[in-house]
């Protein structure tokens, strides 16, 4: 209990420090900020799984997987052999040794690998054989149970399920999945188009169609309900790109239009009822955002990232302000206040206090 209370106090202090303006009487004291770490590569890391302040995994283009044990001071290339032609977009790590990574693409380009020895060896546990499927994201409820999602096949999003930690996968029946809109799909931009909270709840973010929606399942993907969000869609480049739920009730959605020359109004929305309804942020991020995470041990603070910057909310997603303008695609935080972000040109950073 003491440890939990201390973590909660530290989480609140971190949120307050991020929100506080710099003091003129303390010119040498920097507020919390992203500190870049040298990844030693120029690949784009849209997949990120933070284990702690010291340990994190990255997954990116050219079949690249990196891992750090020392807070980003050094990175080890633990990429699966023969994966150089694959595009890794999501990774879920259980600890410093065990992780599952997802490669995206049409047909057999969509694959899932698992390691149990820190990336020394990998086992390919799933290879898509349906040319119509395109897998985007993966999430886990616990160390055994997880889901992966594909863009619609035969008019419905396709869901994979595992009950052995990603060692084997099966396609779930589509009876409980509502029909997809014409052109509707997920965005494999940050590994956050499919997210879970607790033992059974999972949410799926969509775009590219007339309406940007969030689909919710409370039974590990067997049955789903779909709700329209206030984030604009109506174009293949627009919609909800990332979700974060701090519990099974309170969620944040971010997105917009990923094209740099297009505006992204109403790029964030919040839900207080498990995603049944969504309210637009009164003061949204100023541009497209592809990743979002709640700050640990905080009921109201979260970070959103995108190519043009990082934004902070301290009121549960209703208002946002820009902290930095560096480019990141995804962001993740851990209970010990380890927050990480990664993106293009090998960029990876840890939040320093």
């Amino acid at each position: 209990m003491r440890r939990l209370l201390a973590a909660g106090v530290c989480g609140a202090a971190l949120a307050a420090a991020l929100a506080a303006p710099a003091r003129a009487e303390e010119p040498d004291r920097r507020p919390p900020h992203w500190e870049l770490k040298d990844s030693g590569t120029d690949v784009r890391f849209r997949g990120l799984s933070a284990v702690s302040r010291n340990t994190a995994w990255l997954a990116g283009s050219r079949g690249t997987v990196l891992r750090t044990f020392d807070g980003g001071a050094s990175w080890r290339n633990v990429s699966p052999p023969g994966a150089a032609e694959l595009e890794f977009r999501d990774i879920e790590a259980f600890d410093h040794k065990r992780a599952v990574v997802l490669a995206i693409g049409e047909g057999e380009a969509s694959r899932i690998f698992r390691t149990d020895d820190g990336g020394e060896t990998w086992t390919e546990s799933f290879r898509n054989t349906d040319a119509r499927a395109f897998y985007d994201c993966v999430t886990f409820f616990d160390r055994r149970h997880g889901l992966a999602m594909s863009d619609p096949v035969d008019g419905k999003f396709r869901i994979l399920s595992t009950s052995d930690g990603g060692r084997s996968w099966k396609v779930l029946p589509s009876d409980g999945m509502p029909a997809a809109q014409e052109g509707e799909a997920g965005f494999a931009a940050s590994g956050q188009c499919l997210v879970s909270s607790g033992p059974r709840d999972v949410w799926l973010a969509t775009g590219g169609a007339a309406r940007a929606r969030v689909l919710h399942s409370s039974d590990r993907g067997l049955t789903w309900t779909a709700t329209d969000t206030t984030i604009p869609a109506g174009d293949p480049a627009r919609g909800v790109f990332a979700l974060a739920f701090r519990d099974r009730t309170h969620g944040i959605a971010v997105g917009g239009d990923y094209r740099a020359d297009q505006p992204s109004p109403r790029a964030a929305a919040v839900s207080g009822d498990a995603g049944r309804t969504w309210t637009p942020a009164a003061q949204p991020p100023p541009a497209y955002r592809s990743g979002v995470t709640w700050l640990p041990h905080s009921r109201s603070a979260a970070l959103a990232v995108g190519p043009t910057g990082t934004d902070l909310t301290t009121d549960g997603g209703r208002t946002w302000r820009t902290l930095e303008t560096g480019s990141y695609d995804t962001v993740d935080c851990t209970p010990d206040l380890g927050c990480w972000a990664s993106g293009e040109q090998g960029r990876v950073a840890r939040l320093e206090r």
Side-chain angles (χ1 to χ4, degrees), residues 194-215:
L194 184 72
V195 302
S196 56
S197 181
R200 305 188 70 82
D201 286 272
V202 59
W203 296 263
L204 189 161
T206 83
R211 303 179 308 280
R213 303 195 298 175
V214 170
L215 281 63

Side-chain angles (χ1 to χ4, degrees), residues 290-332:
S290 56
V292 63
T293 188
W294 290 90
L295 285 179
H297 313 293
S298 173
R299 298 178 61 84
S300 58
L303 294 170
V305 299
T308 62
T310 298
D311 305 296
L312 169 74
T313 178
T314 56
D315 55 13
R318 288 181 287 276
T319 63
W320 297 82
R321 71 176 181 88
T322 301
L323 295 178
E324 297 188 13
T325 57
S327 174
Y328 297 103
D329 292 317
T330 189
V331 61
D332 193 21

Side-chain angles (χ1 to χ4, degrees), residues 11-342:
L14 176 59
L18 281 165
R23 296 179 180 179
E25 65 270 20
E26 297 179 321
D28 296 329
R29 183 176 180 181
R30 294 186 65 185
H33 59 281
W34 291 122
E35 183 175 291
L36 284 170
K37 310 294 183 178
D38 184 6
S39 69
T41 182
D42 63 353
V43 306
R44 189 164 198 165
F45 292 115
R46 293 186 183 271
L48 164 67
S49 186
V51 177
S52 68
R53 276 189 58 79
N54 290 324
T55 302
W57 297 67
L58 301 171
S61 54
R62 303 204 294 268
T64 305
V65 178
L66 303 185
R67 187 201 59 194
T68 183
F69 281 162
D70 53 17
S74 63
W75 295 86
R76 184 178 180 186
N77 189 328
V78 294
S79 306
E85 301 300 318
L86 300 179
E87 286 288 324
F88 289 137
R89 294 292 181 90
D90 198 357
I91 187 165
E92 300 292 327
F94 306 112
D95 51 40
H96 68 290
K97 287 188 175 182
R98 291 171 288 185
V100 171
V101 64
L102 170 73
I104 68 155
E106 297 178 348
E108 292 192 2
S110 285
R111 305 180 196 180
I112 298 175
F113 299 81
R114 178 182 165 110
T115 182
D116 290 295
D117 54 14
E120 293 288 341
T121 61
W122 293 85
T123 300
E124 181 182 304
S125 58
F126 172 77
R127 182 180 296 206
N128 174 46
T129 57
D130 191 331
R132 301 167 299 170
F134 186 115
Y135 286 84
D136 299 291
C137 290
V138 62
T139 189
F140 277 84
F141 304 97
D142 51 44
R143 290 175 180 261
R144 294 175 53 209
H145 300 92
L147 301 177
M149 58 81 68
S150 162
D151 290 338
V153 176
D154 293 330
K156 294 183 178 182
F157 284 94
R158 175 170 288 182
I159 303 296
L160 281 181
S161 174
T162 180
S163 58
D164 56 11
R167 295 178 179 88
S168 65
W169 299 83
K170 65 178 181 180
V171 176
L172 291 182
S174 63
D175 299 352
M177 176 67 70
Q181 304 172 83
E182 182 177 355
E184 191 173 26
F187 292 108
S190 61
Q192 296 176 330
C193 60
L194 184 72
V195 302
S196 56
S197 181
R200 305 188 70 82
D201 286 272
V202 59
W203 296 263
L204 189 161
T206 83
R211 303 179 308 280
R213 303 195 298 175
V214 170
L215 281 63
H216 172 230
S217 170
S218 59
D219 55 12
R220 290 184 181 164
L222 293 177
T223 60
W224 298 78
T225 56
T227 301
D228 294 349
T229 73
T230 56
I231 293 177
D235 185 279
R238 293 200 296 261
V240 179
F241 280 73
L243 298 167
F245 276 78
R246 67 172 173 82
D247 52 38
R248 70 180 308 271
T249 302
H250 299 89
I252 295 175
V254 300
D257 191 318
Y258 69 75
R259 295 170 294 192
D261 62 342
Q262 296 295 314
S264 291
R266 292 178 287 154
V270 298
S271 176
D273 56 10
R276 287 189 291 271
T277 61
W278 292 88
T279 302
Q283 183 178 327
Y288 156 71
R289 294 294 180 253
S290 56
V292 63
T293 188
W294 290 90
L295 285 179
H297 313 293
S298 173
R299 298 178 61 84
S300 58
L303 294 170
V305 299
T308 62
T310 298
D311 305 296
L312 169 74
T313 178
T314 56
D315 55 13
R318 288 181 287 276
T319 63
W320 297 82
R321 71 176 181 88
T322 301
L323 295 178
E324 297 188 13
T325 57
S327 174
Y328 297 103
D329 292 317
T330 189
V331 61
D332 193 21
C333 291
T334 62
D336 66 346
L337 305 184
C339 289
W340 297 80
S342 64

